[in-house]
Amino acid sequence: AGKTLNFHFEIGEVQGKATPELTDDVAKETGAEDAEDMKAKLRERLEAQEEQNSTSQLNEQARKQLIELLDFVLPPKQLEQETATALMQLRQQRQKPEDQDDEAFAAELQEAAEKQAKEQLSLRYATEEIAKKEEIEVDPDEIQQQMHFFRSYSGMSESQFAERYDP
C-alpha cells in the first residue's frame, strides 16, 4: 500500500466490436420467433416511432399557431400561480451560467416562466372552450389518471396539488 509501480506493455492488436449475423438463433435471443419476425417487429417499431414523431411535430405546430391567435385577459391569481409553478420547474431544470450574474439569471427565468404560464393557461382555457362547443366529454377515470400524472410531474405533494387544483 502506498507504493507506486510502473508498468510497460504493448498493445498487439485492437479488435473492434463485430455485429453478429442476424440468424434465427440471434433473433430468438431477443424474444422473436425467427429472423423474419425480428425484422418485422423492428420495422413496426420504427414506423410507430416515425408516426409518433410526426404527430408530435404536428401537435407542436398547432399549439404554436393557436397560441399566436389567443389574446384574452387571464385571471391574475391563476396566472400568478401558474407562473410560480413554471418558475419552480425552470429553476430545477436550468443552471446559472458562470458568466451570468444572479439578477440577470433570475430575470431571465422570471420572463421565461411568465411566458410559459401565459401560454399554458391560455391553451387550457381555449381547450376547455373547444371541448364545450364540440361537446367533448372525458371519462372521470381518465381525468384522475392525468391528474396523477401531472401531480407526479409537478413534484408537489398530494396535499399541495389538491390545494392548488381541486375545486
Side-chain angles (χ1 to χ4, degrees):
K3 294 182 181 178
T4 302
L5 300 172
N6 291 321
F7 286 98
H8 178 75
F9 58 92
E10 289 183 24
I11 299 174
E13 179 181 357
V14 176
Q15 296 181 351
K17 190 164 58 170
T19 304
E21 182 181 340
L22 180 56
T23 63
D24 289 345
D25 292 334
V26 171
K28 286 178 184 174
E29 289 177 21
T30 67
E33 293 178 21
D34 56 26
E36 288 305 312
D37 183 47
M38 183 176 176
K39 287 178 186 178
K41 286 180 178 177
L42 285 171
R43 189 174 300 111
E44 286 175 21
R45 194 175 304 145
L46 289 171
E47 287 171 356
Q49 186 177 7
E50 179 61 32
E51 184 177 331
Q52 183 179 9
N53 289 345
S54 178
T55 301
S56 294
Q57 288 174 352
L58 287 174
N59 286 342
E60 183 60 22
Q61 287 174 357
R63 181 181 134 340
K64 285 180 179 180
Q65 287 178 351
L66 186 57
I67 287 170
E68 288 177 15
L69 296 173
L70 298 175
D71 186 29
F72 53 89
V73 178
L74 297 167
K77 179 107 173 128
Q78 271 193 305
L79 185 57
E80 183 182 312
Q81 289 176 337
E82 193 74 32
T83 300
T85 300
L87 186 58
M88 181 179 69
Q89 290 172 348
L90 289 171
R91 283 183 180 143
Q92 291 173 351
Q93 294 170 355
R94 296 185 186 176
Q95 288 187 343
K96 183 180 84 66
E98 290 182 25
D99 62 341
Q100 190 176 28
D101 66 42
D102 290 343
E103 278 186 37
F105 182 66
E108 180 183 304
L109 286 181
Q110 183 67 33
E111 183 179 326
E114 288 171 1
K115 180 179 185 260
Q116 182 179 332
K118 184 178 181 202
E119 288 177 0
Q120 288 176 343
L121 205 50
S122 296
L123 283 172
R124 188 176 311 141
Y125 279 114
T127 303
E128 287 173 4
E129 192 61 31
I130 291 168
K132 283 180 194 174
K133 286 186 178 180
E134 296 294 322
E135 298 179 7
I136 298 171
E137 293 185 23
V138 182
D139 180 12
D141 290 338
E142 288 180 87
I143 293 173
Q144 286 294 50
Q145 195 174 30
Q146 287 299 315
M147 292 296 280
H148 178 71
F149 170 77
F150 289 132
R151 187 194 62 76
S152 300
Y153 180 75
S154 73
M156 292 184 213
S157 70
E158 286 189 42
S159 61
Q160 289 173 321
F161 193 80
E163 180 182 311
R164 178 154 182 200
Y165 293 108
D166 281 349

